Amino acid sequence: MKRTLLTLITLIVSIAAYCTDTLVYILPINDEIGSTTWRHTKRGLEEASQMNASLILLHLNTYGGTVEHADSMRTALLHSPIPVVAFVDNNAASAGALIALACDSVYMRPDASMGAATVVNGNDGTAMPDKYQSYMRAMMRATAEQHGKIKGNDSTWRWRRDPLIAEAMVDTRIVVPGLIDSTKVLTFTPDEAIRWGYADGKADSIDDVISQLGINHYTTATFRASWVDNLMGFLTSPAIQAILIMIIIGGIYFELQTPGMGFPSLAALTAAILYFLPLFLTGIVSSWVVLLFVGGLILLLIEIFIIPGFGIAGIAGCCAMAGAVIIGLLESFSLPSGHIDITAIWQTILTLSIATAACIALIMYLTSHYGPKFITRTTELTHSQRIEEGYIGVDTSLKRLVGQSAQALTDLRPAGKIIIDDNEYDAVAQRGFIEAGTAVRITRFENAQLYVLPD
């Protein structure tokens, strides 16, 4: 009886396991590789883990993008505890080839292509210097090596994905006999990719890929990017970060040039919020970095409104804010593991240099006579001191009379009047008293007053 019951339970469990659907999580990457696609990838991997997905299917169609974000994406995919399969739906070019290479398996649409991973200038498409190509070659090679070796039919071990072929996607100097010579950058067709171990098959659709993987009963869940994801990705892009840093620096500068709290401080505060808030909410930067910036801002406000001059509080505040911005950049460009490598350092230096240079150029323009009047109006002395408003000027034309002879019209004790060519003037005796009718000479003009001595 017990044996029969145990057999029945085993049968029921087996049937249940067979009928249970496998959850396949679909992560679309069909845009330029950048901060937004990196955020989508990170969020997608987290969501797939929370849903206990058995497989992540990367629906890939991209012409490439920035190297640093592609590097972050490939690192996250390589270390994903859930198997990742790439479906190259038309294009996996440049950075897209690196991302496809990081997946456990690759399936390609019959008319798709994959490769051409040379690092190029984003402005004109020309190849970057060899130090950039060297870094990309190393990433491609390391990614290929990560998939390890397999035992061939002749019992010899070989790379599952030959690292030399990965390098050939970057460097025209790489030669792979029977595949590519030394004058071309490698781009795979599906048949070539399958032959050389860089693809596991051809497929016409996502369902076709899943079927070829031997999964018969499955359900799918697809990553849906919210407007918050897209906004966060936009605000964390290097170009936008450089603009926000420029506004922060420029706003603080103009605030120090104008009295009170006005538009410059509002612009700087808004830019600081847009800079730090996405980094904090996405977990890219630590909370203490944000607190460091806020503390620096408080010290600067104390210097402006409480402590006269510009001393220790102001310098410490500026240093704290600058340090927070730099650390925020370093952490945003760091690898998913949190490690800050040389690429993150150079990216930080480049972003800061561009932001600072742009800010200096903007300040020079806005404060020049070519700049908008509403800016120069707050940084220049343009107020006129009109007599009708109570301002009184001093007539200095009497200075021309110094050295001339005159006659005392009244007694000068010491002040009185003198006459020159029938014109009367107020005057002061420089020494003693002078009687009326005495000939005098004007000796000096000082404090709007003529001084005379007997002639």
Side-chain angles (χ1 to χ4, degrees):
M1 181 66 180
K2 290 183 179 179
R3 181 176 297 178
T4 304
L5 182 60
L6 181 60
T7 303
L8 182 61
I9 293 174
T10 303
L11 180 62
I12 292 172
V13 171
S14 299
I15 294 173
Y18 178 78
C19 296
T20 300
D21 289 343
T22 299
L23 177 59
V24 178
Y25 188 88
I26 300 172
L27 177 58
I29 301 294
N30 51 16
D31 204 348
E32 181 179 350
I33 304 302
S35 57
T36 301
T37 50
W38 160 229
R39 175 171 171 79
H40 291 175
T41 302
K42 186 177 179 181
R43 282 256 292 105
L45 294 177
E46 292 172 353
E47 192 172 277
S49 178
Q50 292 168 1
M51 297 173 68
N52 294 318
S54 301
L55 178 71
I56 297 173
L57 197 149
L58 198 68
H59 193 180
L60 189 61
N61 184 16
T62 180
Y63 287 104
T66 58
V67 175
E68 62 270 15
H69 292 107
D71 185 21
S72 297
M73 291 172 66
R74 73 109 191 183
T75 304
L77 294 171
L78 282 173
H79 295 89
S80 170
I82 303 173
V84 182
V85 175
F87 173 42
V88 180
D89 192 357
N90 290 337
N91 297 295
S94 190
L98 176 65
I99 292 168
L101 183 57
C103 298
D104 298 296
S105 299
V106 178
Y107 288 82
M108 299 177 67
R109 186 180 285 278
D111 56 349
S113 58
M114 177 175 65
T118 302
V119 183
V120 298
N121 188 309
N123 296 324
D124 54 16
T126 58
M128 297 291 284
D130 188 63
K131 67 176 182 178
Y132 296 94
Q133 310 304 339
S134 175
Y135 186 78
M136 189 64 175
R137 286 196 305 270
M139 276 200 299
M140 293 288 286
R141 184 174 63 250
T143 306
E145 291 175 353
Q146 185 69 20
H147 295 287
K149 293 183 178 183
I150 58 175
K151 198 171 186 178
N153 296 329
D154 56 355
S155 299
T156 60
W157 292 91
R158 62 177 178 82
W159 291 107
R160 182 184 172 211
R161 294 177 184 170
D162 189 347
L164 188 64
I165 293 177
E167 289 190 64
M169 293 185 183
V170 180
D171 197 336
T172 58
R173 297 170 297 182
I174 303 297
V175 177
V176 180
L179 178 62
I180 193 77
D181 61 23
S182 61
T183 62
K184 301 174 183 177
V185 174
L186 176 61
T187 300
F188 272 133
T189 65
D191 289 329
E192 290 172 336
I194 294 171
R195 176 188 172 192
W196 292 91
Y198 270 69
D200 298 272
K202 291 187 288 186
D204 294 313
S205 64
I206 289 176
D207 290 332
D208 192 8
V209 173
I210 298 173
S211 176
Q212 292 189 46
L213 290 170
I215 302 173
N216 297 316
H217 300 278
Y218 64 91
T219 56
T220 61
T222 304
F223 173 77
R224 304 292 181 189
S226 65
W227 67 270
V228 176
D229 291 318
N230 294 326
L231 178 62
M232 292 297 182
F234 174 76
L235 291 176
T236 53
S237 64
I240 299 302
Q241 286 183 319
I243 292 174
L244 292 175
I245 293 173
M246 180 186 71
I247 296 174
I248 293 172
I249 297 173
I252 293 175
Y253 171 82
F254 280 113
E255 189 59 42
L256 293 174
Q257 305 302 310
T258 56
M261 293 285 288
F263 176 76
S265 58
L266 179 62
L269 183 61
T270 303
I273 293 173
L274 293 177
Y275 176 80
F276 282 104
L277 187 61
L279 298 178
F280 176 70
L281 292 178
T282 55
I284 295 176
V285 299
S286 309
S287 56
W288 70 267
V289 178
V290 180
L291 293 176
L292 180 64
F293 184 87
V294 174
L297 181 61
I298 292 173
L299 286 174
L300 187 62
L301 293 177
I302 290 175
E303 186 73 38
I304 294 174
F305 295 105
I306 300 178
I307 305 175
F310 192 77
I312 297 176
I315 295 173
C318 290
C319 291
M321 289 190 293
V325 170
I326 294 172
I327 296 171
L329 279 176
L330 282 171
E331 292 193 353
S332 66
F333 292 135
S334 64
L335 298 176
S337 62
H339 176 68
I340 297 175
D341 60 358
I342 189 65
T343 303
I345 295 174
W346 278 113
Q347 191 71 21
T348 299
I349 293 173
L350 179 63
T351 303
L352 282 175
S353 300
I354 293 174
T356 304
C359 183
I360 293 173
L362 183 63
I363 290 174
M364 292 178 64
Y365 166 72
L366 292 177
T367 55
S368 69
H369 65 278
Y370 297 106
K373 295 301 180 185
F374 75 92
I375 296 291
T376 55
R377 204 177 294 129
T378 61
T379 57
E380 295 179 358
L381 296 175
T382 56
H383 184 69
S384 299
Q385 297 179 336
R386 298 182 178 89
I387 295 176
E388 55 269 22
E389 294 178 354
Y391 296 99
I392 301 175
V394 176
D395 183 11
T396 61
S397 62
L398 297 179
K399 190 174 182 180
R400 74 183 191 281
L401 299 176
V402 174
Q404 294 189 24
S405 297
Q407 185 176 10
L409 185 62
T410 64
D411 292 338
L412 278 71
R413 297 177 179 271
K417 289 185 178 294
I418 61 174
I419 186 170
I420 302 175
D421 298 331
D422 298 328
N423 294 318
E424 296 181 9
Y425 301 97
D426 292 325
V428 176
Q430 190 168 328
R431 286 195 304 269
F433 299 108
I434 300 176
E435 295 182 356
T438 304
V440 296
R441 180 175 296 277
I442 301 171
T443 57
R444 59 191 174 94
F445 176 78
E446 190 175 291
N447 297 327
Q449 183 66 62
L450 293 173
Y451 289 84
V452 297
L453 287 172
D455 192 1

